[in-house]
């Protein structure tokens, strides 16, 4: 299992429309970035791309994958600067140096980017981050050498235990199952769901099961009870699609057919849950994110969890 070195990315306001960005970990840097209306504009573009891929809005002249890369490069430029503009100590140079140090370790490690953002920047679609075209990393979320994490604010300081008058805390667990005919061996999710219900008492966890999961059913379920912290377990088949060059998850269509949902689109659907805290993908071949010729041979590729 790949281990990660962690590069912490903290952003704090330091003046009108200006933010101090501090990176610490395998490499260190301080920089100042200028932010105007980009966070809201980037989020609006992200939402339009999700709607376009769901067929709810026009796609536009360029394919959604190309538009997603351009969006991700815009977010990258905002946080880390344009490629080739670093002076040896900027945020972009620090990111490249940290990844290089992690990969030169023995055994080699990946790089986890942990973002701690102020409220105004939390709507930035970090999941779309994509390096400039002249750099090798490209889509960070789909690159197995990277892990992207958000740090979220906790509860009030000083309150370690609940009071008797406090409302009980609930976590929403959404279990989505898809096993369309022709996608592979039928998946038997009943036993797994029963074990979850037994181990997770309803007093603390509200469990919802979406059988025969389609894009529309999954998105609707994610939007329900949006005031609760949400964990998602997706049980389905996965595959690598050579035509589009990325991993796909096999959901169902309304007519019971196979709906091949690309990994980047799935991430866009999942964040429809405003308080999403955890997503677990129980997929056969779910770890395949590169073409068969580029994969490292493995003894067993039958069932993976990620």
């Amino acid at each position: 299992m790949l281990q990660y070195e962690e590069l912490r990315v903290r952003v704090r306001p330091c003046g009108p429309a200006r933010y101090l960005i501090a990176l610490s970990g395998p490499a260190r840097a301080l920089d100042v970035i200028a932010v105007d209306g980009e966070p809201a504009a980037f989020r609006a573009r992200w939402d339009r791309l999700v709607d376009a891929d769901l067929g709810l809005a026009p796609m536009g002249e360029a394919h959604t994958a190309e538009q997603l890369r351009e969006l991700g490069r815009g977010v990258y430029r905002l946080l880390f600067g344009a490629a080739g503009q670093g002076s040896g100590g900027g945020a972009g140079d620090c990111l490249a140096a940290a990844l290089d140090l992690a990969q030169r370790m023995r055994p080699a490690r990946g790089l986890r980017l942990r973002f701690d953002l102020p409220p105004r920047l939390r709507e930035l679609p970090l999941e779309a981050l994509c390096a400039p075209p002249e750099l090798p990393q490209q889509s960070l979320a789909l690159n197995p050498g990277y892990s992207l994490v958000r740090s979220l604010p906790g509860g009030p300081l000083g309150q370690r235990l609940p009071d008797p008058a406090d409302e009980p805390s609930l976590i929403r667990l959404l279990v989505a199952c898809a096993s369309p005919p022709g996608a592979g061996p039928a998946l038997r999710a009943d036993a797994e769901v029963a074990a979850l219900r037994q181990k997770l008492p309803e007093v603390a966890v509200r469990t919802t099961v979406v059988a025969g999961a389609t894009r529309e059913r999954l998105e609707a379920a994610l939007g329900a009870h949006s005031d609760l912290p949400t964990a998602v377990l997706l049980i389905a088949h996965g595959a690598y699609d050579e035509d589009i060059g990325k991993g796909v998850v096999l959901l169902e269509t309304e007519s019971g057919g196979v709906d091949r949902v690309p990994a980047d689109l799935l991430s866009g659907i999942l964040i429809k849950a405003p308080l999403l805290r955890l997503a677990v993908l129980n997929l056969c071949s779910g770890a395949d994110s590169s073409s068969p010729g580029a994969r490292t041979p493995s003894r067993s590729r039958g069932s993976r969890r990620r």
Side-chain angles (χ1 to χ4, degrees):
M1 179 180 295
L2 181 64
Q3 295 184 332
Y4 292 89
E5 290 293 303
E6 184 167 285
L7 183 68
R8 293 172 292 281
V9 184
R10 298 182 178 92
V11 184
R12 294 293 182 267
C14 62
R18 293 174 70 82
Y19 289 81
L20 177 70
I21 178 169
L23 295 87
S24 60
R28 295 173 177 82
L30 283 174
D31 213 341
V32 175
I33 60 176
V35 179
D36 192 7
E38 292 93 343
F42 285 146
R43 173 55 62 177
R45 286 173 61 187
W46 173 273
D47 289 339
R48 285 198 299 271
L49 287 175
V50 172
D51 288 341
D53 228 49
L54 290 172
L56 304 177
M59 182 179 295
E61 296 182 3
H63 192 278
T64 51
E66 180 181 345
Q67 296 181 64
L68 183 64
R69 282 194 297 271
E70 289 305 311
L71 169 61
R73 286 170 181 157
V75 178
Y76 187 102
R77 285 192 297 270
L78 177 68
L79 293 174
F80 302 114
Q85 292 185 357
S87 58
D93 298 310
C94 178
L95 178 60
L99 178 63
D100 181 63
L101 286 169
Q103 291 180 336
R104 285 195 284 110
M105 292 181 174
R106 292 295 178 265
R109 295 191 174 201
L111 184 65
R112 175 175 292 114
L113 301 182
R114 182 176 294 278
F115 290 91
D116 182 357
L117 304 179
R120 188 184 169 206
L121 302 188
R122 285 179 193 149
E123 60 183 343
L124 280 172
L126 299 175
E127 296 75 14
L129 268 172
C130 185
E134 59 268 31
L135 296 182
Q137 297 91 353
Q138 296 309 291
S139 176
L140 272 59
L142 298 180
N143 188 326
Y146 282 100
S147 170
L148 304 182
V149 179
R150 293 175 183 259
S151 288
L152 301 174
L157 295 176
Q159 184 177 350
R160 298 179 61 87
L161 296 173
D163 294 326
D166 289 345
E167 290 292 327
S169 297
L170 272 176
I171 296 174
R172 179 174 62 133
L173 173 61
L174 177 62
V175 183
C177 310
S179 184
L187 300 177
R188 307 295 183 185
D190 296 347
E192 192 161 351
V193 172
L196 286 171
R197 291 190 183 278
Q198 182 180 6
K199 297 292 184 181
L200 302 175
E202 289 292 330
V203 68
V205 179
R206 177 179 295 171
T207 301
T208 302
V209 178
V210 179
T214 65
R215 300 190 199 192
E216 293 76 13
R217 290 174 194 160
L218 179 57
E219 187 172 8
L222 289 165
H225 303 294
S226 58
D227 57 326
L228 294 178
T230 300
V232 176
L233 169 61
L234 177 59
I235 304 173
H237 289 285
Y240 180 81
D241 191 318
E242 295 193 31
D243 292 335
I244 61 174
K246 61 183 69 175
V248 295
V249 176
L250 307 185
L251 298 184
E252 300 189 20
T253 65
E254 290 295 340
S255 60
V258 178
D259 183 12
R260 302 172 70 85
V261 180
D264 48 2
L265 173 59
L266 178 65
S267 67
I269 294 174
L270 291 177
I271 64 169
K272 290 293 185 178
L275 297 182
L276 180 66
R277 295 294 182 262
L278 174 68
V280 179
L281 307 183
N282 186 354
L283 310 174
C284 60
S285 301
D288 289 348
S289 58
S290 59
S291 61
R295 298 183 205 138
T296 301
S298 173
R299 291 185 180 180
S300 173
R301 304 193 63 85
S303 178
R304 295 193 176 189
R305 298 191 181 197
R306 171 171 265 193

